[in-house]
Amino acid sequence: MNKYIGHTHKWVKPDGSFKYVQMYLQTDQGYEFNNDEQAYKIAILDPSDAGNFRYDIFDITKRWRLEDLPARPFGKLTLNRSPDNYFAEIEQLALSPSHLVPGIEPSADPVLQARMFAYPDAQRHRLGVNYQRIPVNCPKHAFNPLQRDGKAAGHGNGGTLPSRLSSSCPISYKRRLLLAPHEEWKGRITAESRWGSSDTVFESPHSPRGFWTMIGEEKKYGDWQEKMVGNISRHLSGACADVRRRAYALFRRVHEDLGHGVETETETEALAAVRDTYIRGEK
């Protein structure tokens, strides 16, 4: 299966210049079963083009179209082993979008910004204040003697190093360059594109339409269209008639074939459920 990050990030150069990117994993082994090898790919957008792009690049519901921004391979992720201890490596694992390496930074995506705060907060509640000292979460090469003490402190708790900024043991910080004017401009674009224009909010659903068309045209996806219709219909059939009618209209905006298929199969399942209920004598 493929995996998508969804959020827009920034890849930043030492001089402070950057590009907007969306990263995702694309399987190298087909779609029959869970695969072990995936190629890292990236779509890149210049900041100067962000304001004039066809949709809000910070909208998590929009996947950048590969026709507009062709993906470039930049790495490979290979699953080469299973966990040795499920509790130690899975139950205590703490994932967060705020865990970023130098050169990758968050964008003004409001959902990303919220998650950067919420995820670590949840980890502190679930695993304790020193959750980043647990081996599965601990960075390989990090030096921060100011992060210490608290419940379940490990790794020597900073040893004999001072627990405060000290002139006898100074800590130097790498200076980071910012393109302040663009950051200010970018935030303004986000607010206007989300709330200031009805054309942006109710734009044509080109992303889902492109996905529906793609899985129908490329042989490697097999019967994905039929499975998609079946999965939607199975759950939608339990909704009331008014909700079903509005859902059909929404899916027809994506593609007429999708809307027609969902309506036909959903109504068939809804009718069958009513018939079964009547036979059992339920009301």
Side-chain angles (χ1 to χ4, degrees):
M1 65 179 71
N2 297 334
K3 297 176 177 64
Y4 303 89
I5 293 178
H7 293 296
T8 298
H9 286 78
K10 297 189 297 185
W11 277 15
V12 185
K13 294 181 179 180
D15 63 2
S17 63
F18 66 90
K19 303 288 187 182
Y20 287 117
V21 302
Q22 277 202 355
M23 298 172 280
Y24 66 96
L25 289 166
Q26 186 174 40
T27 176
D28 286 343
Q29 298 180 324
Y31 299 98
E32 289 296 326
F33 303 99
N34 188 25
N35 53 283
D36 298 331
E37 196 162 282
Q38 296 170 317
Y40 257 118
K41 293 193 174 182
I42 183 172
I44 301 175
L45 178 68
D46 192 275
S48 61
D49 298 326
N52 299 319
F53 203 56
R54 67 172 65 208
Y55 48 80
D56 181 2
I57 67 168
F58 300 136
D59 187 342
I60 193 175
T61 67
K62 302 292 189 299
R63 179 191 169 197
W64 293 4
R65 296 177 55 183
L66 299 183
E67 308 93 277
D68 301 326
L69 301 166
R72 310 178 189 182
F74 74 95
K76 187 180 292 289
L77 177 67
T78 302
L79 178 63
N80 54 19
R81 72 174 182 91
S82 297
D84 294 327
N85 184 288
Y86 189 84
F87 181 83
E89 298 180 64
I90 301 299
E91 293 291 346
Q92 294 189 122
L93 181 64
L95 301 175
S96 172
S98 59
H99 297 162
L100 299 171
V101 298
I104 301 180
E105 297 183 4
S107 69
D109 179 342
V111 179
L112 175 59
Q113 294 289 333
R115 284 177 168 170
M116 289 177 63
F117 163 78
Y119 279 52
D121 199 44
Q123 315 300 1
R124 283 187 286 269
H125 174 76
R126 180 170 66 91
L127 299 170
V129 67
N130 283 303
Y131 72 94
Q132 295 185 86
R133 300 288 187 91
I134 299 173
V136 71
N137 301 320
C138 190
K140 297 293 185 183
H141 304 286
F143 177 76
N144 185 7
L146 305 183
Q147 183 179 341
R148 62 199 300 164
D149 300 341
K151 186 178 180 180
H155 294 273
N157 194 37
T160 60
L161 294 171
S163 60
R164 62 196 181 282
L165 293 176
S166 170
S167 58
S168 61
C169 187
I171 299 176
S172 60
Y173 297 92
K174 189 173 182 180
R175 190 173 182 81
R176 176 172 165 267
L177 297 176
L178 293 175
L179 299 181
H182 180 80
E183 289 296 308
E184 180 181 348
W185 166 80
K186 191 59 250 170
R188 190 164 60 248
I189 286 293
T190 303
E192 292 174 358
S193 62
R194 284 189 177 275
W195 310 116
S197 170
S198 59
D199 293 336
T200 300
V201 177
F202 300 106
E203 65 179 340
S204 176
H206 56 80
S207 294
R209 181 180 299 134
F211 177 76
W212 170 261
T213 303
M214 178 186 66
I215 63 176
E217 293 178 347
E218 298 188 23
K219 292 183 179 180
K220 64 181 179 180
Y221 295 109
D223 59 349
W224 277 26
Q225 282 190 338
E226 291 77 9
K227 289 180 178 178
M228 181 176 177
V229 169
N231 288 335
I232 294 173
S233 302
R234 192 175 305 114
H235 297 282
L236 185 58
S237 62
C240 65
D242 178 60
V243 171
R244 298 201 305 267
R245 282 193 297 269
R246 284 185 284 144
Y248 303 150
L250 177 64
F251 287 121
R252 278 192 164 89
R253 287 189 61 197
V254 175
H255 198 283
E256 179 62 31
D257 292 346
L258 175 60
H260 176 74
V262 169
E263 181 175 6
T264 301
E265 192 161 335
T266 299
E267 291 304 314
T268 300
E269 293 205 18
L271 182 60
V274 171
R275 184 175 61 250
D276 292 344
T277 301
Y278 176 78
I279 293 174
R280 291 195 303 266
E282 299 178 1
K283 296 184 180 180

